[in-house]
Amino acid sequence: MKQAKLSLMGSAILLALASSANAASLKDTDVEFGGYIKADIMFSDYGNGAPDSGDLSRQFYVPGTIYGKEGNGNQVVDFQARETRFNFKATTDVDGHKLSGFIELDFMTHTDGNERTSNSYSPRIRHAFVSYDNWTVGQTWTTFQNAAALPENLDFVGAADGTPFARQTLLRYTKGNFQFAIENPETTVTPNQGGARITSGSGVIPDVIARYNLKTDGGAAFSFAGIARQLNLETKIGATQIDSSALGYGASVAGIIPVGKDDLRFTATYGEGLGRYMALNYINAGVLDANGDIESIRTFGGFVSYRHWWNEQWRSSVTLSGMQADNDVALTGSGVNKDAYSGYINLLYSPSKPLTFGVEYMYAKNSKENGDDGDLSRIMFSAKYVL
């Protein structure tokens, strides 16, 4: 991302960071501003009727939101600039130690505002963290995810059903190629025989993640990540008091492999009790049995994306993505999500480095254990200017 220098005296973030050590002064601190402006036009066809205007599925592809709304028309068009984002970064030297802070906001996922008059939407925090030498604390990408391996798609996430995806508050230590982190715990559970998702914040043991990053002499980059987490639920359902916990675990490998000027990107993830870490929480981490105990749910997902450069200005990516859950229908009932698949093909044009125009076609299909399904076809046009 191209960065632009800002005035040092005009930033509250800069002042906060610089005042953290008496050895630092404003002249020793660099402040950068970045982000991009992105406008999208999306023509969508929902097999079961489109969700209402402003619904999350009308902003980008989210597995589980495309089953549709009976009675609504199938075909809709949406114009948006929600993905536009901006960020600030401040870096300073404190007695030989590197101190930096980063904050980034965009306007996605909110359902406030409307398309009738002002199209005003609330900003949200994407990243907000501080780094001190090898330590990082604050909100950023989970260590379990390799965001660099995501495909170059116009859709906001791209391959959402086949990748780990989460930003959350964490404490991470980096040593060479290794990363170790404790991260925010949150458990999602399906009631016995199905029903509305139960979200539990009662866990007291952080999710523990380790990752190893590897780069080869040929330019390829890989990551290998493992996670262990406690699934915990303490609540009352009807007259029954639930107090149960279970172990969740998983592994993920991701990579970018150069193929001449082109590249191949991929991620493959397997685990039990991964829940919200996979496919934007398309599947819950566990299900309650008849005794109120949590049984973890096994999932597998992945994607592969090939990007081809036609010349210095034109390029295309072809992406296939998907995930499956191994539900015990005797516990979950048949109304739960079973699998999700999506495919993408695009054509992008950059007349200059910071400016990109593109068109993308995507198709997605989601299915439940009872045979119900939903599908989405979308043609998307985008313009993006990197600041």
Side-chain angles (χ1 to χ4, degrees):
M1 179 181 296
K2 183 179 180 181
Q3 305 291 343
K5 296 289 182 179
L6 290 182
S7 169
L8 298 180
M9 298 299 294
S11 172
I13 300 174
L14 168 62
L15 293 172
L17 289 173
S19 64
S20 64
N22 55 20
S25 64
L26 294 179
K27 65 180 182 180
D28 299 321
T29 303
D30 290 329
V31 176
E32 299 175 335
F33 170 75
Y36 58 74
I37 298 168
K38 185 168 182 275
D40 302 316
I41 303 174
M42 298 176 289
F43 296 88
S44 305
D45 188 338
Y46 293 84
N48 298 330
D52 291 332
S53 179
D55 188 273
L56 196 59
S57 176
R58 299 278 290 267
Q59 301 177 33
F60 65 103
Y61 168 54
V62 179
T65 67
I66 66 170
Y67 291 111
K69 184 174 181 180
E70 186 176 356
N72 283 358
N74 289 22
Q75 298 176 342
V76 292
V77 60
D78 290 287
F79 288 59
Q80 69 174 21
R82 288 174 176 266
E83 194 179 325
T84 296
R85 66 183 60 164
F86 57 94
N87 58 61
F88 292 90
K89 181 179 181 179
T91 305
T92 191
D93 182 272
V94 182
D95 294 333
H97 299 279
K98 183 179 179 181
L99 172 65
S100 64
F102 183 83
I103 184 168
E104 182 174 68
L105 295 89
D106 71 1
F107 308 88
M108 297 294 291
T109 73
H110 290 291
T111 56
D112 61 355
N114 59 69
E115 297 184 17
R116 295 181 290 105
T117 51
S118 64
N119 288 269
S120 301
Y121 302 101
S122 301
R124 62 161 189 166
I125 287 180
R126 286 171 50 83
H127 301 272
F129 63 87
V130 174
S131 294
Y132 184 76
D133 287 343
N134 296 335
W135 293 92
T136 298
V137 59
Q139 174 164 311
T140 188
W141 298 113
T142 173
T143 312
F144 192 61
Q145 174 190 0
N146 186 344
L150 287 173
E152 188 182 23
N153 287 353
L154 297 182
D155 183 70
F156 176 58
V157 177
D161 37 30
T163 182
F165 192 95
R167 288 183 299 270
Q168 59 192 9
T169 302
L170 53 80
L171 175 62
R172 180 162 63 209
Y173 178 75
T174 301
K175 182 65 173 178
N177 293 341
F178 289 94
Q179 294 179 313
F180 304 94
I182 54 173
E183 305 191 8
N184 183 63
E186 187 85 342
T187 302
T188 56
V189 177
T190 301
N192 185 250
Q193 299 302 308
R197 168 179 291 153
I198 303 171
T199 301
S200 170
S202 59
V204 296
I205 299 178
D207 295 349
V208 179
I209 302 173
R211 177 169 144 184
Y212 180 75
N213 301 307
L214 172 67
K215 290 186 178 181
T216 69
D217 293 337
F222 302 94
S223 65
F224 307 87
I227 184 173
R229 56 194 306 247
Q230 181 193 55
L231 311 181
N232 185 274
L233 179 62
E234 297 178 31
T235 189
K236 194 171 185 178
I237 301 178
T240 304
Q241 180 65 42
I242 305 295
D243 186 353
S244 178
S245 62
L247 174 65
Y249 63 90
S252 184
V253 58
I256 306 173
I257 303 174
V259 184
K261 292 184 178 180
D262 302 345
D263 60 69
L264 179 71
R265 300 169 181 239
F266 70 92
T267 294
T269 307
Y270 170 87
E272 293 195 13
L274 289 179
R276 63 186 178 83
Y277 281 95
M278 274 298 295
L280 304 177
N281 209 171
Y282 182 62
I283 305 295
N284 289 326
V287 58
L288 294 178
D289 64 18
N291 298 317
D293 294 325
I294 299 175
E295 297 289 338
S296 60
I297 297 176
R298 183 183 300 113
T299 55
F300 173 79
F303 72 81
V304 60
S305 180
Y306 187 84
R307 181 171 64 171
H308 174 67
W309 288 83
W310 302 102
N311 55 42
E312 295 299 319
Q313 295 179 317
W314 293 86
R315 60 197 183 276
S316 296
S317 290
V318 178
T319 305
L320 298 175
S321 175
M323 71 94 64
Q324 289 185 329
D326 184 14
N327 293 305
D328 184 345
V329 179
L331 299 180
T332 64
S334 61
V336 295
N337 294 323
K338 176 184 178 182
D339 51 38
Y341 300 97
S342 60
Y344 310 75
I345 184 169
N346 61 36
L347 178 64
L348 308 182
Y349 169 62
S350 296
S352 63
K353 189 174 181 179
L355 181 63
T356 298
F357 300 99
V359 58
E360 179 171 277
Y361 173 75
M362 69 158 289
Y363 177 78
K365 185 173 182 179
N366 298 172
S367 301
K368 297 183 178 182
E369 291 286 357
N370 60 11
D372 290 346
D373 60 35
D375 64 272
L376 167 64
S377 298
R378 174 173 287 163
I379 298 176
M380 184 173 181
F381 299 89
S382 296
K384 179 179 178 181
Y385 175 66
V386 178
L387 303 175

